[in-house]
Amino acid sequence: MKKLLTLFFCLCALGAHAQDPNFYIFLCFGQSNMEGAARPEAQDLKSPGPRFLWMPAVDYPATDKLPARKMGEWTEAIPPLCRPNTGLTPADWFGRTLVASLPENIKIGVIHVAIGGIDIKGFLPDSISAYIKKAPGWMKGMLEAYNNNPYERLVTLAKKAQKDGVIKGILMHQGETNTGDPKWAGMVKQVYDNLCSDLKLKPEDVNLYAGNIVQAGGKGVCIGCKKQIDELPLTLHTSQVISSDDCTNGPDRLHFDAAGYRELGCRYGEAVARFLGYEPKRPHIDMPKRIEVPADAVTAETAIPGNEFPKVDKEHRAYFRIQAPQARKVVVDICSKKYDMQPDGKGGFMAVTDPLPVGFHYYFMNIDGVNFIDPASETFFGCNRESGGIEIPEGPEGDYYRPQQGIAHGQVRSIYYHSPNSKFGEWRHALVYTPAEYELAKNAKKRYPVLYLQHGMGEGETSWAIQGKMQHIMDNAIASGEAVPMLVVMESGDIKQPFGGGNNQAGRSEYGATFYPVLLNDLIPYIDANFRTKSDRENRAMAGLSWGGHQTFDVVLQNLDKFAWLGTFSGAIFGLDVKTAYNGVFANADEFNKKIHYMYMNWGSDDFIKSGDIVKQLRELGIKVDSSESAGTGHEFLTWRRGLHEFIPHLFKK
């Protein structure tokens, strides 16, 4: 019998759930800053290991990264600790700080119940029913997650947790909703007393740690609450206030940002460690990499006025900055390279590039996989859409495309014209440059030659005027006498949309070919009818960059009765057999040279489209073609600005 009793008690002992005195449990409650309003970053999502556990107060569904987690079951403390879709909280780095500060045989557990915007009455059993009836609609779902009684949920789980470990403290972050309420401290004491009574806690062993509010340098939305929190120990002597001095915040000045939650959480942990008799040790926190902006860096001319960034330094490095407090990863994509932007811990991100080539460059930012335009940048149509852009300035050698004082300036006019031949709508848009003298009364009857100037694939009718600075190039060249006064017409050319495939060898184009009948039958007649032009072929030129150069070859070489001047800049001309192309237009060099008074082709030394071979083949046939290679530039607007500048002095002169 004695042996049977011994066996029975052994079996009971094995079945019993033994409380671990080295498992320290902390209750966390409050409103939105305890709930967590900042998106966890990569370092927050790394598991702190089995020494920091968390008992969820609600069920968590499975995600692509984590399995489902059940209410009331201990699991490793990985955010969000409050409810699914909440954020980083002070409890996250509170637990990590205790793990770093306390002996390795001690585990830390947290139970977390918080509701954004909740009044302290929401944690008083006698007040919760009345409070729920008056709660705003946006809060009702959060209350329902705790079965409309957050205090009861906290106590129920705490009693379950006491079977596993020992409650060592209570963390609170609440007060913003009760700013200025003289009864707040007394109600906090009532919540604390209720917890101690219901959980049979000794107040002298279990402090209440109350975190202070967002200060935002004295401009916090609830800054008036700071004093009442600081004075809480006058009402509740077992409370300790956790300072929020210099804890960084989000742009709403109501919630901390991720860095602020980390700092405040560490301070909670340090206070508890000291109370427990241990020297606090902070866990490793990845600090943002500080990007130093040199004093010589200046705001880019392409920035929207009022913005400090983007900036460019004397080494041609570009500096970008953006506020994106909810972002996990931000990238800036420029000049075929992507740069990870570094968080500054205050909701901002910064990046610095390698030295960039001088000239204009499109760029995009990317937040969590989605491209967008830098809100600090002027927009430029390119890459088949509106884009950000930055100008990396040249020295004085770039003055030819900058506006100059002391000279007359022309105009760039916006026109709409009717086009029955258009595939993309009968009303079309174009820009027309008129030289300064066009407006003078003495020239009221004077007529002018016309250059039809096309942009490249994925750009628009505004590209030459804005990115290419065409107006300034024309004004300066005309003022200096390098170029004769002329009109310049710029149209979309039906190549704004992405390349659609098909046959696009020279003379057999599909992409952008819908523009050809529009140009010949609608646009040219409109310009000649509405502007004072010289409307014969001798006074009409066409040129284009990239695919606009392709279009120029297609149009001019098949319509020599309408054009006598031809230019391409990085012309996208493929599959060209110079002996047979365009019905053998180059076969009779003498005849061609009589009809085309000047032919010019340029490209960049680093360009992926070069015309050197075509130029060589044409010259071998006896075709007169001028050419140049832009030193140090690629397939970009600086190449094309240089090309236009070199091309126009030769136009309409014999």
Side-chain angles (χ1 to χ4, degrees), residues 424-437:
F424 297 99
E426 292 187 345
W427 285 100
R428 297 179 64 104
H429 182 232
L431 300 183
V432 181
Y433 166 81
T434 56
E437 67 170 52

Side-chain angles (χ1 to χ4, degrees), residues 363-365 371-379 385-388:
Y363 74 94
F364 290 97
M365 288 183 175
N371 274 349
F372 69 100
I373 303 170
D374 181 359
S377 170
E378 296 280 9
T379 55
R385 57 171 289 183
E386 294 291 347
S387 308

Side-chain angles (χ1 to χ4, degrees), residues 259-295:
Y261 283 118
R262 292 186 199 109
E263 177 61 30
L264 189 63
C266 287
R267 293 179 186 182
Y268 272 104
E270 290 168 337
V272 170
R274 292 190 186 98
F275 180 76
L276 295 175
Y278 298 98
E279 184 65 28
K281 296 179 183 178
R282 287 209 170 195
H284 173 74
I285 297 177
D286 293 334
M287 300 303 292
K289 296 178 181 177
R290 184 173 177 82
I291 295 176
E292 298 290 342
V293 182

Side-chain angles (χ1 to χ4, degrees), residues 196-484:
C196 289
S197 175
D198 290 340
L199 298 173
K200 298 180 173 54
L201 304 175
K202 295 180 179 180
E204 61 270 23
D205 294 334
V206 181
N207 276 350
L208 175 76
Y209 300 89
N212 223 313
I213 45 80
V214 165
Q215 298 184 47
K219 297 181 180 179
V221 172
C222 297
I223 193 66
C225 185
K226 182 179 184 301
K227 184 174 184 293
Q228 70 186 40
I229 295 176
D230 284 337
E231 293 177 352
L232 180 62
L234 299 178
T235 301
L236 180 59
H237 74 277
T238 53
S239 67
Q240 182 175 342
V241 176
I242 308 302
S243 170
S244 63
D245 292 357
D246 302 318
C247 288
T248 54
N249 56 272
D252 62 0
R253 294 181 289 110
L254 183 62
H255 299 101
F256 299 99
D257 59 16
Y261 283 118
R262 292 186 199 109
E263 177 61 30
L264 189 63
C266 287
R267 293 179 186 182
Y268 272 104
E270 290 168 337
V272 170
R274 292 190 186 98
F275 180 76
L276 295 175
Y278 298 98
E279 184 65 28
K281 296 179 183 178
R282 287 209 170 195
H284 173 74
I285 297 177
D286 293 334
M287 300 303 292
K289 296 178 181 177
R290 184 173 177 82
I291 295 176
E292 298 290 342
V293 182
D296 62 56
V298 297
T299 301
E301 66 179 74
T302 42
I304 295 173
N307 288 279
E308 183 182 1
F309 289 83
K311 283 189 168 184
V312 182
D313 68 18
K314 66 179 181 180
E315 302 296 330
H316 297 154
R317 295 182 179 89
Y319 299 80
F320 299 93
R321 186 174 71 187
I322 189 169
Q323 283 295 120
Q326 299 300 313
R328 293 188 178 183
K329 184 174 183 179
V330 185
V331 174
V332 61
D333 186 346
I334 185 169
C335 292
S336 301
K337 185 171 182 178
K338 296 180 179 180
Y339 299 86
D340 288 336
M341 300 187 74
Q342 302 301 320
D344 62 9
K346 301 179 181 180
F349 290 79
M350 281 195 70
V352 57
T353 69
D354 298 332
L356 301 175
V358 292
F360 175 85
H361 307 290
Y362 298 112
Y363 74 94
F364 290 97
M365 288 183 175
N366 183 294
I367 288 183
D368 298 335
V370 179
N371 274 349
F372 69 100
I373 303 170
D374 181 359
S377 170
E378 296 280 9
T379 55
F380 307 86
F381 193 87
C383 310
N384 308 114
R385 57 171 289 183
E386 294 291 347
S387 308
I390 189 169
E391 185 79 23
I392 307 299
E394 281 194 289
E397 68 274 16
D399 285 347
Y400 71 90
Y401 58 77
R402 299 184 179 113
Q404 302 296 321
Q405 293 184 339
I407 68 169
H409 299 278
Q411 300 178 358
V412 177
R413 306 184 183 190
S414 173
I415 66 164
Y416 287 86
Y417 68 100
H418 191 258
S419 173
N421 293 286
S422 177
K423 179 182 178 182
F424 297 99
E426 292 187 345
W427 285 100
R428 297 179 64 104
H429 182 232
L431 300 183
V432 181
Y433 166 81
T434 56
E437 67 170 52
Y438 188 88
E439 303 302 317
L440 300 179
K442 67 178 182 179
N443 295 325
K445 294 184 179 180
K446 182 176 178 180
R447 294 188 172 273
Y448 294 85
V450 184
L451 166 63
Y452 289 84
L453 185 62
Q454 291 304 116
H455 58 83
M457 181 188 298
E459 293 167 335
E461 63 270 26
T462 61
S463 299
W464 262 114
I466 299 176
Q467 293 96 294
K469 301 184 181 293
M470 174 279 315
Q471 177 181 358
H472 307 317
I473 295 173
M474 297 302 303
D475 286 344
N476 295 333
I478 292 170
S480 67
E482 292 179 79
V484 302

Side-chain angles (χ1 to χ4, degrees), residues 486-504:
M486 67 184 81
L487 274 63
V488 182
V489 180
M490 295 152 283
E491 226 267 19
S492 75
D494 293 347
I495 56 174
K496 282 186 171 182
Q497 76 277 15
F499 181 76
N503 189 338
N504 282 287

Side-chain angles (χ1 to χ4, degrees), residues 566-641:
L566 165 66
T568 69
F569 320 117
S570 304
I573 303 160
F574 310 115
L576 183 71
D577 182 344
V578 296
K579 295 179 181 178
T580 61
Y582 302 106
N583 298 316
V585 70
F586 298 121
N588 189 329
D590 291 339
E591 183 178 346
F592 180 86
N593 292 336
K594 289 177 183 178
K595 290 183 177 180
I596 294 296
H597 302 318
Y598 184 71
M599 181 177 179
Y600 170 83
M601 305 180 79
N602 101 312
W603 57 92
S605 62
D606 301 327
D607 213 323
F608 65 85
I609 297 179
K610 298 186 178 184
S611 301
D613 287 344
I614 296 175
V615 169
K616 180 175 180 292
Q617 293 173 41
L618 290 173
R619 286 174 178 167
E620 288 174 350
L621 292 178
I623 301 298
K624 293 181 180 179
V625 54
D626 202 357
S627 68
S628 69
E629 183 175 86
S630 171
T633 62
H635 205 69
E636 57 190 272
F637 263 103
L638 188 52
T639 298
W640 308 326
R641 291 175 191 168

